[in-house]
C-alpha cells in the first residue's frame, strides 16, 4: 500500500507493532552474516520444528545483529507482557527445551544473556516490552553493553530487516514525512549543519556543508551516492548496518536527496557482502511498494529512486572519484580534485557521496534535531560511532560509543582486555590508512582530531587489537602489502613508492635490513603522503610511520640483532618458543625427543644452553609458553613441565672440558646469574671462583624462592653438578668487606662478573613503618630459608603484587600453620593471610599460576588498596590504615596509575605487615672501588656485552636490570661468559649478530588422521600436585614431576613450528 | 561570454591569465620551469606524474602543495614553484622514475636537470619489455587512443605496480588503426612502430600489424588502411575519389597539376 | 556461454550507471570466470572496445579470466584474520592441497588450482566476519575460528582425501 498521508503511515505503524507485539510468543533469531555462519539458520529451523512438534503457536522472525558477535547465535524471546530476553550461544540442540520453557511461560535461564524491559529506538519514543524475570540481568548491566550508546544501531538485532512494517512500527520513515512535508531543503541542511555530523567514512568532513556545496550547484540533474564499499579489512560496521537495518540507510538518502535536489541515488556495495545486497534489494522494493521511493515520495511532488551497483573487489573504489569512475563502468582510478564531485561527479553532474553510517544518522537528526545530536560526543566531534573491535581482544564485536570515549574504555571495559588475559601492546585504528597506537596512549579519546594528533586516523571505525605476539614490523609490512596490492597504479609515488617500501620492510623482516633503511622508509613515506593523487596513497604510509615512531626498537631489533621479539617473522624465527627463550633453548627438538621417548637425548639438547634445567623446570616464568602457537587457539604446550621432566628423569650427559685455559675469573654472587656465568666459563676451560656472602650458595634460588617451589635437595644437587666442573665456591665471603674488587685483581683474577642481585626490600615510606611487626619481605623469605625464627601473628598482611609478595604470602601461610598445630588450641583463632595490591588483577606482575595457587590455598587477595600508615602501640604494630584506590591515567609502561580515593580510608587490626613492593641492592661490594658507573641502584653496562665502566669488570642479573626473572639472570650469565671469553682472548667484545638456527632436525612424528583429530582437542597436561589439605604446616614441594606417559602424551601436542617445507 | 582575465602570482611575480586556465599552462607560456610528464593540452588534466607540484601560499583555494595542472587561475592566487619541500619531494619522485624506467634517456636527462643522477631504489628491468623499459604509465597513449581518436585498441592491464599498457589478451588486435598518435604523445618515446613492407607493425602493442594502403599510382605503401578510412570519413568536405588510394606525394602532384592547369584555364579548379 | 543467456543479462541493465560492472559480474557469477567469447560478444553488443572490458577484468579482484576449480576456497587475509594467524591457514591449505606457492595468473591475480581441478585457492581482503577470525570461505559458505588442524575436516566435506 502506498503511503501518502500521516494516517496511512500510522496505520502501517500499527501493522508493524502487531508483529513486534503479536499477543503470542515472538521468537527472533539473529541472522546477519555472522549469525548465519555461527549456525543461526540451523537454530532457526530447529526452533521452528520444536514448536511444530509441541504445537506451540509462536511468531517466528529473523532479526539482524546486536553486535555481540562473540555470543552468536543469539535468539530473542518476547513473551507477551514480559521483558524481551536475549538468549546467547544457542545451538540447535537447545531448541527443544527452549520451546518447552516458552510453552509454560518461562525463558531458559541458563541460556539467558540479559533482558530488555523497554527500548529506545531514538527516532520515536520507547517500546515497552514489560517487567519481570528478576533473576535475569538487565541489558545495561552486561559489561559489554554498559558503556555503549546505541543510536545508529538502535534497531539492529531487534527488528526484522526484511519487513518495512517493523521499521515503520518503531518510528521509521516518520523523518521522511517530517522532512518532505514540513521542512524546506534549506531547513534540513541547517539542521544537519547544527548537528555537527561529520562524514563517517573516515575523512570527517562536515556533512551539512558538503550537502550545501552540492545543493548550490545549478544543474539539470544531481545524484547522491551511498558509499558502501567498506574496504578496510577488519571493519564491518557498514555491513551490519545494511544487513540489520537497511531502511535507515534508505530513509537517510531520501531526506538527503530532497535537501540537495537529487532525483537518483546509488548505493555502491562491495561484492563481498552478498547478504547486504540482498537485504537492500528487498528494502528498496518494499520502499517502492509503500510509496517511499519512486514517483511522488510519500505523496509529495518529490520523486526519487535508489539503485544498487556492485563493487568488484577494489579497495581504492572507496575513494569518491574512483567510486564514481567505477559506477561509470571504468576501472577505479581516482581523478584529480578539483573538480570535486559536488561540482562534477557522476556523469559530470553534481554528486554528493556519503558513507553508509553518515546516511544512517540523518533520520535521527531530523526527528530529534541537530541540537540534540550535538549534545552527544564532544564539541567538534558530535554523535556516536560504531566501531568493529577485532583482533587479540576477548570480546570481539561491534561497539557503538559517543565520540570522545577513550581507547581504554573500548578495549578494556567493553572488550574485556586481551585474550587469555594477555597484555595488549597496541591498537591499530583506521585500517590501512591509519596508524598503530601504543598502550601507553590508551587514554586518547577516540575521535577524528585526537587520533590524527597521535599519528593515526579514525577512519571508518576498525579497531584492531594487538598483543605481544604481534610483530609491529610485520604489521607495517602487512598493511603496505595490502596498499601495494590495492593501489590503482595511476600515480608514481603510490604505485612505485609503496612497492619499494614493501621490499624494504620485507628485507628487514628477513634480517637483511640496515639502519639506513629506516631513514629511507621515513623519507619515502613522507613523499608518498605529500604527493600522492588520492587518499589511498596519502595515507598508506601511516602504519609504517606510526610504528617507526612508537615501536622503533622493534625495527632495530630486527636490523641489529636479526631478531623478531614477537616471534612472527619466519625467516629469522626458528620457532616462537626458541625465539622467546632468553637462553635460546632448542625447545622443539627436546620436546620432539620426549615425544619419541628419547629422554636422554632431550636432556642433552637442553644442556647445550641451560645450566640448571631442574631449577628452571620448576621456577621459570616460561616466556616460551606465552608465545607458543598452540596457545593461540587452545592451550600452550606445558614446556616448563616437560623440561623439568627430562631433567628429573634422564641421565645428565657427561661433560668434557676440552682445554684448560688457566686464566682466573672471579664471580661475585652465587645466584642464578653468577652460577650460570661460572658454568659457561668453566665449560670454556676457565678457572672460576665464586664468592658468596651468605653461608650457602644459590642466591635468590635459596633465599628468595620458597622450598615448596624449589626443594632444597634439588637446588643442592644442581649446584653440586655445576661445581663439579671444577668451580670453587667460597661462601661467607662478602666482597667489599672481606675482600675488595681491586684486591681480587691483585690476587691474579683477570676478569670479574658482578652478580650480587637485590637482597634488600624497598620501603613503603609511610608513618610507622619502622615499628616491630613490619617486616621486609626479602628478609622474611631469607630468614625462613635459613631456618631463622620469624615472628608472625595471626592477621598477616602482605603488601605487593609481584612474585615476592606471592612467595611471602604462601610461605607465611605454611610457616604459621607449622606453629598452629601447637598453639591453635591455645589461641583458638584462625590464621589469615592477605595479599594487598594497589592495582587490579590484570596489572599484577606475579606469575599467573602462582597467584592461582595462592587463591586455592585460601589466601585472600585484595585489589585497589594501599596502606597509608601503621598504627603502633609501644613501638609494635597494632593496626594498619588503608585507603581505597582507583585507576587514573595510563603511564609509559601502559599501566594505569593508582590514585587514592579521598575519604575512603579504613582501619584493620594487624599482627604483621610484610612489605613486598620492590627490591634494592646491598651496595657493600662497591667499597674500595672507584669508577664503577651506577644509576640509582643499578650498575650501568653495555647492554650487548655487559661490560661496565671498569676494565675487566662485567655485571648482570638483577643488579643491572632491576628485579627480574631467573631465566633472564641465567641468560645474562651466559652472555657475560661469552664477553669475558672475548675479553681474555683480546678480541673485540661487540659481536656481529647472525641468524643461527639450531640444526638438530629431529624428524616429525607421523600421525594417523584419527590421532590428529584427537590431538587437536587434547587438553594440556596438568602436573599432579600436593592436595591443598596437605600443604599446611610444611614446605613440601607442591608440583610433581610428570610421569613418562604424561610427558610423552603432552609432547605429542607440539605443532613443530621449527619444521619448514623443503 | 567574454573571456575574463585574472592576475596571479608565481614566485612573487605577477602574471596575467585567463580565468580557469591551469597554472601549469601559465607557467609554460611564461617560461617558468615546472616539470611535467603526463600533461597534454588536448586532454583533461590527469594528475598522474606528480611532478608539477606547486605550493599555494595565497588566494581563494586551500593552502599547501597541489598539482599545478589542476590548479585553476583565479584572482589573488599566489604560488611558489620551488620551495625546499617541493624540491625534496621532487628528488625522491625522480629517484622513483629512474628506478621504474631505467631505459629512458628522457627521464635520465630530466632527472639530471633537477640534480638526480642516481636512485636508491631497485631498478625494474624487464628483459624483453616491448616498451624498452621506458614506460612511465602516464596514460597519454591510452587517453589519446580512447578519448581523442575514439578507437580503444590499448588500455591499462592490471592494477597497482603490476599495471602495464597493451592490447587485450596481449594479442594483436584488429581494433588498432595504426594512426601512431600513441607514439606521438608518449613523453619518453617508449612506443615502437615500424613500417615493414606492406604492414605497419605496432611493435609495442603485441606486434599488431595493420595493413598499409598501396598507392595506385606509384605503388608505395603509405598509410594504414583503417586510418585512411577513418580520416576519409571524418573529412568535411569529403576528399575527391581520385585522391583516395593515392599517396601524399602523388596527391601533391595531382593537385598542383590541377592547379597549374586551372590557371592555364584548361580545367576549372575544384571541378 | 550461449548468446541468449548473455542477451538476457545485458537486457537487465538499462541504466548506464553500474551497467558494465553489473553485466560482467553476472557472467562471472554464472560461469565462475569471464570466458573470452563472452567478453567479445558483450563488447560487440554494447559497443565498448574489448580493450576496455579486458582492462576492467584485470583491474578488479573479483574477476577471473581463467577457469576455476570445482570448489573455490578463499582464505581471508584481512587485518583481524592476519593477527589471528591467517598466513598459517593459507600455508596449511596449500600444503594439504599440494599446490605450489607463488602461483599467479598472467594478469597478476593470486590463484592456485589443484592438478585435478577440484579446488582453487585464492585470497580476499575481508568478508566482514572478523569476529570469527581467521575466516575461510568455500563456495560461498563461511567457516570461522579456523585452526590449521581443523582444515582437513572442512576439506573432507568437499570430497578431499588425505594421501
Amino acid at each position: 500500500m502506498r503511503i501518502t498521508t500521516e494516517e496511512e503511515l500510522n496505520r502501517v505503524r500499527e501493522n508493524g507493532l502487531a508483529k513486534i507485539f503479536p499477543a503470542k510468543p515472538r521468537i527472533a533469531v539473529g541472522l546477519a552474516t555472522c549469525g548465519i555462519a555461527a549456525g543461526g539458520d540451523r537454530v532457526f529451523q530447529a526452533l521452528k520444528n520444536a514448536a511444530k512438534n509441541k504445537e506451540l503457536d509462536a511468531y517466528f522472525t529473523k532479526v539482524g545483529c546486536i553486535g555481540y558477535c562473540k555470543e552468536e547465535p543469539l535468539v530473542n524471546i518476547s513473551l507477551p507482557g514480559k521483558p524481551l530476553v536475549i538468549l546467547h550461544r544457542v545451538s540447535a540442540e537447545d531448541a527443544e527445551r527452549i520451546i518447552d520453557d516458552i510453552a509454560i511461560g518461562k525463558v531458559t535461564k541458563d541460556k539467558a544473556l540479559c533482558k530488555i524491559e523497554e527500548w529506545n529506538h531514538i527516532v520515536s519514543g520507547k517500546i515497552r516490552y514489560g517487567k519481570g524475570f528478576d533473576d535475569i540481568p538487565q541489558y545495561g548491566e552486561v559489561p559489554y553493553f554498559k558503556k555503549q550508546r546505541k543510536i545508529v544501531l538502535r534497531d539492529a538485532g531487534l527488528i526484522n530487516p526484511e519487513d518495512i512494517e517493523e521499521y515503520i512500527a518503531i518510528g521509521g520513515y516518520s523523518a521522511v514525512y517530517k522532512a518532505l512535508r514540513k521542512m524546506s531543503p534549506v531547513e534540513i541542511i541547517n539542521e544537519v549543519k547544527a548537528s555537527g555530523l561529520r562524514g563517517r567514512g573516515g575523512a570527517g568532513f562536515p556533512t551539512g556543508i558538503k550537502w550545501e556545496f552540492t545543493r548550490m550547484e545549478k544543474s539539470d540533474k544531481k545524484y547522491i551516492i551511498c558509499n558502501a564499499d567498506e574496504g578496510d579489512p577488519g571493519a564491518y560496521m557498514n555491513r551490519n548496518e545494511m544487513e540489520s537495518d537497511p531502511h535507515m540507510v534508505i530513509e537517510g538518502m531520501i531526506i538527503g536527496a530532497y535537501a540537495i535536489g537529487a532525483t537518483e541515488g546509488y548505493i555502491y556495495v562491495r561484492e563481498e557482502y552478498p547478504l547486504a545486497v540482498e537485504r537492500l534489494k528487498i528494502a528498496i522494493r518494499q520502499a517502492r511498494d509503500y510509496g517511499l521511493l519512486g514517483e511522488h515520495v510519500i505523496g509529495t511532488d518529490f520523486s526519487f529512486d535508489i539503485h544498487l551497483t556492485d563493487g568488484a573487489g577494489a579497495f581504492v573504489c572507496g575513494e569518491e572519484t574512483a567510486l564514481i569512475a567505477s559506477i561509470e563502468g571504468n576501472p577505479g582510478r581516482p581523478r584529480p580534485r578539483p573538480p570535486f564531485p559536488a561540482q562534477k561527479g557522476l556523469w559530470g553532474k553534481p554528486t554528493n557521496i556519503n558513507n553508509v553510517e553518515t546516511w544512517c544518522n540523518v533520520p535521527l537528526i531530523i526527528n530529534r534535531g541537530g541540537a540534540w545530536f550535538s549534545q552527544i560526543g564532544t564539541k567538534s566531534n558530535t554523535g556516536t560511532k560504531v566501531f568493529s573491535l577485532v583482533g587479540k581482544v576477548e570480546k570481539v564485536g561491534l561497539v557503538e560509543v559517543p565520540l570522545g570515549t577513550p581507547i581504554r574504555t573500548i578495549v578494556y571495559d567493553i572488550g574485556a582486555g586481551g585474550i587469555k588475559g594477555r597484555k595488549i601492546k597496541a591498537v591499530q585504528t583506521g585500517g590501512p590508512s591509519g596508524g598503530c597506537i601504543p598502550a601507553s596512549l590508551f587514554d586518547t579519546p577516540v575521535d577524528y582530531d585526537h587520533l590524527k594528533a597521535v599519528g593515526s586516523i579514525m577512519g571508518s571505525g576498525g579497531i584492531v587489537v594487538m598483543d605481544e605476539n604481534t610483530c609491529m614490523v610485520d604489521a607495517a609490512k602487512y598493511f603496505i602489502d595490502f596498499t601495494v596490492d590495492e593501489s590503482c597504479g595511476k600515480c608514481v609515488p603510490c604505485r612505485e613508492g609503496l612497492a619499494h617500501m614493501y621490499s624494504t620492510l620485507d628485507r628487514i623482516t628477513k634480517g637483511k635490513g640496515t639502519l639506513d633503511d629506516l631513514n629511507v622508509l621515513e623519507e619515502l613515506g613522507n613523499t608518498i603522503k605529500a604527493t600522492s593523487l588520492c587518499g589511498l596513497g596519502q595515507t598508506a604510509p601511516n602504519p609504517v610511520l606510526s610504528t617507526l615512531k612508537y615501536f622503533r626498537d622493534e625495527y632495530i631489533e630486527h636490523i641489529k640483532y636479526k631478531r623478531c621479539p614477537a616471534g612472527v617473522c619466519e625467516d629469522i624465527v626458528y620457532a616462537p618458543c626458541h625465539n622467546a627463550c632468553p637462553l635460546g633453548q632448542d625447545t622443539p627438538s627436546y620436546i620432539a625427543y620426549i615425544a619419541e621417548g628419547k629422554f636422554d637425548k632431550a636432556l642433552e639438547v637442553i644442556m647445550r644452553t641451560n645450566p640448571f634445567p631442574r631449577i628452571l623446570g620448576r621456577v621459570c616464568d616460561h616466556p616460551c609458553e606465552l608465545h607458543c602457537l598452540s596457545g593461540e587457539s587452545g592451550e600452550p604446550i606445558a614446556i616448563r613441565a616437560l623440561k623439568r621432566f627430562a631433567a628429573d628423569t634422564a641421565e645428565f650427559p657427561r661433560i668434557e672440558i676440552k682445554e684448560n685455559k688457566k686464566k682466573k675469573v672471579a664471580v661475585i654472587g652465587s645466584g642464578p646469574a653468577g652460577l650460570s656465568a661460572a658454568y659457561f666459563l668453566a665449560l670454556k676451560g676457565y678457572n672460576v671462583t665464586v664468592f658468596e656472602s651468605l653461608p650457602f650458595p644459590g642466591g635468590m634460588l635459596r633465599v628468595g624462592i620458597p622450598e615448596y617451589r624449589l626443594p632444597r635437595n634439588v637446588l643442592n644437587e644442581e649446584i653440586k653438578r655445576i661445581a663439579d666442573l671444577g668451580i670453587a665456591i667460597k661462601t661467607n665471603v662478602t666482597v667489599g668487606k672481606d675482600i675488595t674488587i681491586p684486591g681480587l685483581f691483585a690476587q691474579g683474577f683477570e676478569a670479574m662478573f658482578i652478580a650480587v642481585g637485590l637482597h634488600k626490600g624497598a620501603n613503603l615510606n609511610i608513618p610507622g613503618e619502622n615499628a616491630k611487626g613490619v617486616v621486609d619481605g626479602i628478609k622474611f623469605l631469607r630468614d625462613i630459608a635459613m631456618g631463622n625464627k620469624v615472628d608472625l601473628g595471626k592477621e598477616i598482611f602482605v603488601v605487593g603484587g609481584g612474585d615476592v609478595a606471592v612467595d611471602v604470602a604462601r610461605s607465611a601461610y605454611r610457616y604459621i600453620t607449622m606453629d598452629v598445630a601447637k598453639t591453635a588450641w591455645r589461641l583458638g583463632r584462625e590464621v589469615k593471610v592477605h595479599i594487598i595490591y594497589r592495582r587490579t588483577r590484570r596489572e599484577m606482575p606475579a606469575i599467573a599460576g602462582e597467584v592461582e595457587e595462592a587463591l586455592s590455598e585460601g589466601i585472600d587477595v585484595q585489589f585497589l588498596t594501599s596502606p597509608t600508615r601503621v598504627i603502633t602501640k609501644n613501638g609494635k604494630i597494632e593496626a594498619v590504615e588503608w585507603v581505597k584506590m582507583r585507576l587514573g591515567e595510563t603511564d609509559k609502561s601502559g599501566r594505569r596509575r593508582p590514585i587514592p580515593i579521598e575519604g575512603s580510608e579504613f582501619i584493620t587490626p594487624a599482627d604483621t605487615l610484610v612489605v613486598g613492593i620492590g627490591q634494592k641492592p646491598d651496595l657493600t661490594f662497591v667499597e674500595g672501588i672507584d669508577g664503577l658507573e651506577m644509576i640509582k641502584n643499578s650498575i650501568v653496562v653495555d647492554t650487548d656485552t655487559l661490560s661496565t665502566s671498569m676494565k675487566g669488570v662485567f655485571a648482570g642479573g638483577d643488579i643491572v636490570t632491576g628485579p627480574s626473572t631467573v631465566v633472564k639472570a641465567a641468560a645474562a650469565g651466559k652472555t657475560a661468559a661469552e664477553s669475558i671469553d672475548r675479553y681474555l682472548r683480546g678480541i673485540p667484545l661487540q659481536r656481529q649478530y647472525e641468524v643461527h638456527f639450531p640444526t638438530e632436525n629431529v624428524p616429525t612424528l607421523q600421525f594417523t588422521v584419527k590421532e590428529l583429530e584427537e590431538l587437536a582437542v587434547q587438553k594440556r597436561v596438568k602436573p599432579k600436585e600436593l592436595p591443598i589439605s596437605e600443604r599446611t604446616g610444611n614446605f613440601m614441594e607442591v608440583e610433581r614431576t610428570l610421569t613418562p606417559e604424561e610427558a610423552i602424551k603432552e609432547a605429542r601436542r607440539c605443532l613443530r613450528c621449527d619444521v619448514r617445507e623443503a | 561570454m567574454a573571456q575574463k582575465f585574472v592576475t596571479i602570482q608565481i614566485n612573487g611575480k605577477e602574471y596575467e591569465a585567463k580565468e580557469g586556465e591551469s597554472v601549469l599552462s601559465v607557467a609554460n607560456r611564461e617560461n617558468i620551469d615546472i616539470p611535467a610528464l603526463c600533461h597534454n593540452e588536448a586532454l583533461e588534466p590527469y594528475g598522474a606524474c606528480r611532478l608539477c607540484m606547486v605550493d599555494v601560499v595565497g588566494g581563494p583555494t586551500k593552502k599547501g602543495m597541489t598539482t599545478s595542472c589542476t590548479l585553476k587561475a583565479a584572482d589573488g592566487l599566489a604560488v611558489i614553484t620551488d620551495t625546499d619541500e617541493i624540491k625534496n619531494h621532487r628528488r625522491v619522485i625522480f629517484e622513483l622514475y629512474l628506478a621504474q624506467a631505467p631505459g629512458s634517456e628522457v627521464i635520465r636527462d630530466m632527472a639530471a636537470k633537477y640534480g638526480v643522477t642516481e636512485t636508491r631504489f631497485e631498478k625494474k628491468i624487464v628483459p624483453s619489455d616491448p616498451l624498452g623499459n621506458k614506460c612511465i604509465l602516464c596514460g597519454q597513449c591510452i587517453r589519446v587512443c580512447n578519448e581523442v581518436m575514439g578507437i580503444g585498441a590499448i588500455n591499462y592491464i592490471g592494477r597497482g605496480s603490476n599495471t602495464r599498457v597493451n592490447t587485450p589478451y596481449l594479442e594483436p588486435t584488429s581494433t588498432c588503426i595504426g594512426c601512431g598518435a600513441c607514439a606521438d604523445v608518449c613523453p619518453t618515446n617508449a612506443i615502437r612502430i615500424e613500417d615493414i613492407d606492406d604492414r605497419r607493425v605496432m611493435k609495442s602493442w603485441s606486434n599488431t600489424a595493420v595493413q598499409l594502403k598501396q598507392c595506385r599510382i606509384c605503388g608505395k605503401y603509405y598509410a594504414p588502411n583503417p586510418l585512411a578510412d577513418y580520416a576519409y570519413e571524418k573529412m568535411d568536405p569529403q576528399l575527391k575519389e581520385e585522391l583516395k588510394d593515392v599517396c601524399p606525394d602523388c596527391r601533391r602532384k595531382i593537385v598542383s597539376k590541377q592547379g597549374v592547369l586551372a590557371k592555364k584555364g584548361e580545367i576549372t579548379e575544384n571541378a | 556461454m550461449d548468446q541468449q543467456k548473455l542477451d538476457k543479462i545485458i537486457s537487465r541493465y538499462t541504466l548506464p550507471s553500474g551497467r558494465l560492472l553489473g553485466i560482467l559480474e553476472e557472467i562471472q557469477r554464472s560461469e565462475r570466470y569471464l570466458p573470452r567469447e563472452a567478453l567479445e560478444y558483450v563488447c560487440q553488443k554494447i559497443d565498448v572496445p574489448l580493450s576496455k572490458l579486458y582492462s576492467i577484468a584485470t583491474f578488479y579482484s573479483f574477476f577471473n579470466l581463467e577457469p576455476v576449480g570445482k570448489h573455490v576456497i578463499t582464505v581471508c587475509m584481512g587485518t583481524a584474520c592476519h593477527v589471528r594467524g591467517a598466513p598459517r591457514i593459507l600455508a596449511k591449505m596449500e600444503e594439504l592441497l599440494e599446490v605450489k606457492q607463488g602461483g599467479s595468473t598472467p594478469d597478476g591475480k593470486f590463484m592456485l588450482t589443484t592438478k585435478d581441478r577440484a579446488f582453487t585457492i585464492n585470497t580476499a581482503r575481508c568478508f566482514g566476519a572478523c569476529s570469527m577470525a581467521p575466516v575461510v570461505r568455500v563456495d560461498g559458505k563461511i567457516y570461522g575460528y579456523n585452526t590449521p588442524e581443523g582444515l582437513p575436516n572442512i576439506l573432507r566435506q568437499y570430497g578431499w582425501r588425505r594421501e
Side-chain angles (χ1 to χ4, degrees), chain A residues 158 212 217 230 280 363 416 421 469 486 588 602 614 661 676 685 911 1010:
Chain A
L158 294 166
E212 200 167 54
E217 292 291 317
E230 193 163 62
L280 280 168
N469 289 350
E486 297 292 336
R614 295 187 71 196
K661 288 205 175 69
S676 169
D911 299 321
K1010 187 161 181 297

Side-chain angles (χ1 to χ4, degrees), chain A residues 37 69 233-234 236 239 266 270-271 310-313 326-327 329-330 332 347 390-392 396 474 478 482 1013, chain C residues 15 17-18 20-21 25 29 52 56 59-62 77-79 82-84 125-126 128 130-132 147 156 162:
Chain A
C69 311
Y236 58 107
R239 172 172 75 61
Y266 290 94
R270 63 198 297 255
E271 72 80 26
D310 279 1
S326 186
I327 294 181
N330 294 310
W347 306 115
V390 298
K392 301 304 215 50
V396 173
D474 175 73
Y478 165 85
F482 178 85
E1013 289 177 356
Chain C
L15 293 169
S17 298
L20 266 180
L21 252 68
E25 283 183 27
R29 282 203 191 97
K52 182 166 184 188
I56 292 173
F59 180 88
Y60 291 100
S61 307
F62 182 58
M77 303 296 275
T79 316
H82 180 84
V83 300
R84 290 259 194 174
R125 280 299 180 171
C126 188
C130 318
S131 58
M132 310 190 313
T147 60
R156 243 175 261 131
R162 185 191 282 270

Side-chain angles (χ1 to χ4, degrees), chain A residues 443-663:
Chain A
D443 290 342
T444 309
V446 178
D447 64 32
Y448 300 99
D449 305 324
H450 280 98
L451 290 182
K452 191 140 180 259
V454 294
S456 181
I457 64 169
M458 198 167 78
S460 62
I463 299 181
V464 183
V465 177
M466 300 170 166
D467 65 13
E468 283 148 339
N469 289 350
T470 312
C471 171
M472 302 316 281
V473 184
D474 175 73
K477 181 175 121 170
Y478 165 85
F479 285 117
I480 297 293
D481 182 33
F482 178 85
T483 40
V484 162
D485 199 39
E486 297 292 336
S487 164
C488 77
K490 181 167 166 179
C491 76
V492 161
C494 175
R495 177 186 76 231
E496 302 297 321
L498 288 178
H500 290 299
M501 282 186 92
Y502 178 81
S503 59
T504 306
L505 287 165
D506 191 45
R507 267 189 304 106
I508 294 176
T509 59
K510 294 187 156 105
K512 299 200 171 99
T514 66
L515 285 173
D516 191 47
D517 283 337
L518 299 184
N519 298 329
V520 173
L521 282 173
E522 275 171 338
E523 200 183 338
L524 194 45
N526 286 325
T527 294
I528 297 171
K529 270 186 79 118
T531 62
S532 287
L533 168 61
C534 82
L536 190 154
Q538 287 157 9
T539 57
N542 284 347
V544 179
L545 295 175
S546 65
T547 49
L548 277 171
K549 180 172 173 187
Y550 297 117
F551 297 99
R552 206 182 188 90
D553 47 326
E554 279 197 42
Y555 282 89
I556 294 178
E557 185 113 8
H558 281 73
I559 293 172
K560 187 174 173 200
Y561 301 100
K562 304 198 190 321
R563 211 180 146 258
C564 173
V568 169
C569 297
E570 279 207 349
D571 283 57
I572 53 178
V573 172
Y574 167 69
C577 48
H578 162 267
N579 189 67
C581 177
L583 285 173
Q585 291 266 263
D586 183 2
T587 309
S589 296
Y590 77 71
I591 292 184
Y593 280 134
I594 293 176
E596 288 180 17
K598 298 186 176 147
F599 309 142
D600 289 347
K601 283 200 81 85
L603 185 55
E604 194 188 305
V605 169
I606 291 170
M607 291 308 295
R608 286 187 197 140
T609 59
N610 189 335
F612 28 76
R614 295 187 71 196
I615 295 175
L616 281 167
R618 285 165 165 77
V619 307
C620 188
D621 72 324
H622 49 75
C624 50
E625 291 186 22
L626 176 65
H627 289 270
C628 174
L629 278 181
S630 218
E632 287 292 301
S633 50
E635 290 296 310
I637 308 299
I639 301 174
R640 175 182 64 73
L642 285 173
K643 178 197 271 50
R644 171 182 165 163
F645 164 78
D648 280 352
T649 311
E651 216 178 282
F652 276 89
R654 283 179 58 93
I655 298 193
E656 298 231 356
I657 298 179
K658 297 202 184 79
E659 61 168 307
N660 185 347
K661 288 205 175 69
K662 293 182 173 38
K663 294 199 178 200

Side-chain angles (χ1 to χ4, degrees), chain B residues 65 67 139:
Chain B
M65 274 172 54
T67 46

Side-chain angles (χ1 to χ4, degrees), chain C residues 15-83:
Chain C
L15 293 169
S17 298
R19 186 179 194 217
L20 266 180
L21 252 68
I23 294 171
L24 292 179
E25 283 183 27
E26 282 213 36
I27 299 173
Q28 167 76 36
R29 282 203 191 97
S30 158
E31 307 301 303
R32 294 168 56 225
Y33 78 112
L34 295 177
R36 183 169 177 167
E37 312 75 53
L39 289 187
E40 281 169 347
Y41 183 75
V42 169
C43 84
Q44 234 185 55
K45 211 68 209 291
I46 62 177
D47 195 26
V48 164
L50 182 64
S51 64
K52 182 166 184 188
L53 290 183
Y54 190 76
S55 183
I56 292 173
T58 56
F59 180 88
Y60 291 100
S61 307
F62 182 58
F63 300 119
N64 299 325
L65 289 164
E66 306 268 315
V68 295
K70 183 151 170 255
H71 301 289
V72 178
I73 300 167
T74 310
V75 180
C76 180
M77 303 296 275
T79 316
C81 292
H82 180 84
V83 300

